[in-house]
């Protein structure tokens, strides 16, 4: 079994910053891609940012230049530094990881429990 534990969400004023963390643990042979997704009230879940095992990043256009994704491979942890937050960033943020188990030959997607980010006006 694999668990993703998120932290760092909260309430922030527009223009403020937050840093999210997500640590993967459990039956892990290798963690491939990791990323962050978010779901605003009444809206579909959307990709925010991803990072490959080699450190290649990809961002949604709405967050590019404001958010930075990074990872610590030794700790199986991914981070999301969010700067200049806007009210439209308000959402539940979910961590995602592609994990290869010790008995598998392909990765599977795992999800964190979600952490609330609220940007007040």
């Amino acid at each position: 079994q694999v668990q993703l534990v998120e932290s760092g969400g909260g309430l922030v004023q527009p223009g403020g910053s937050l840093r999210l963390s997500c640590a993967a643990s459990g039956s892990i042979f290798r963690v491939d891609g990791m990323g962050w997704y978010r779901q605003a009230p009444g809206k579909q879940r959307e990709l925010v940012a991803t990072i490959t095992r080699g450190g290649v990043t990809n961002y949604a256009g709405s967050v590019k230049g404001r958010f930075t994704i990074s990872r610590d491979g030794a700790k199986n942890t991914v981070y999301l530094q969010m700067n200049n937050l806007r009210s439209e960033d308000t959402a539940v943020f979910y961590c995602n990881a592609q994990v290869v188990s010790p008995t598998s030959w392909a990765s599977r997607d795992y999800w964190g429990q979600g952490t609330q980010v609220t940007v007040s006006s």
Side-chain angles (χ1 to χ4, degrees):
Q1 61 275 23
V2 175
Q3 303 84 38
L4 303 183
V5 179
E6 306 176 22
S7 63
L11 175 66
V12 66
Q13 293 281 89
S17 298
L18 285 173
R19 184 172 183 260
L20 306 182
S21 300
C22 173
S25 63
S27 183
I28 297 172
F29 174 73
R30 186 181 71 246
V31 178
D32 291 331
M34 303 187 82
W36 292 93
Y37 295 72
R38 67 186 180 188
Q39 187 167 18
K43 294 188 176 182
Q44 190 174 346
R45 184 183 64 188
E46 66 175 353
L47 183 148
V48 177
T50 60
I51 183 168
T52 70
R53 191 165 181 265
V56 179
T57 59
N58 183 55
Y59 297 92
S62 59
V63 309
K64 201 166 189 176
R66 300 188 297 122
F67 293 8
T68 302
I69 189 171
S70 61
R71 67 188 290 172
D72 184 336
K75 297 180 179 180
N76 293 326
T77 300
V78 64
Y79 307 93
L80 186 68
Q81 178 66 48
M82 303 184 291
N83 298 325
N84 193 24
L85 283 160
R86 306 166 180 168
S87 60
E88 51 263 45
D89 293 319
T90 296
V92 177
F93 282 68
Y94 295 93
C95 174
N96 168 264
Q98 298 172 309
V99 179
V100 178
S101 73
T103 58
S104 297
W105 291 266
S107 64
R108 290 187 176 186
D109 282 344
Y110 292 87
W111 295 90
Q113 80 281 2
T115 184
Q116 177 70 49
V117 172
T118 301
V119 185
S120 66
S121 59

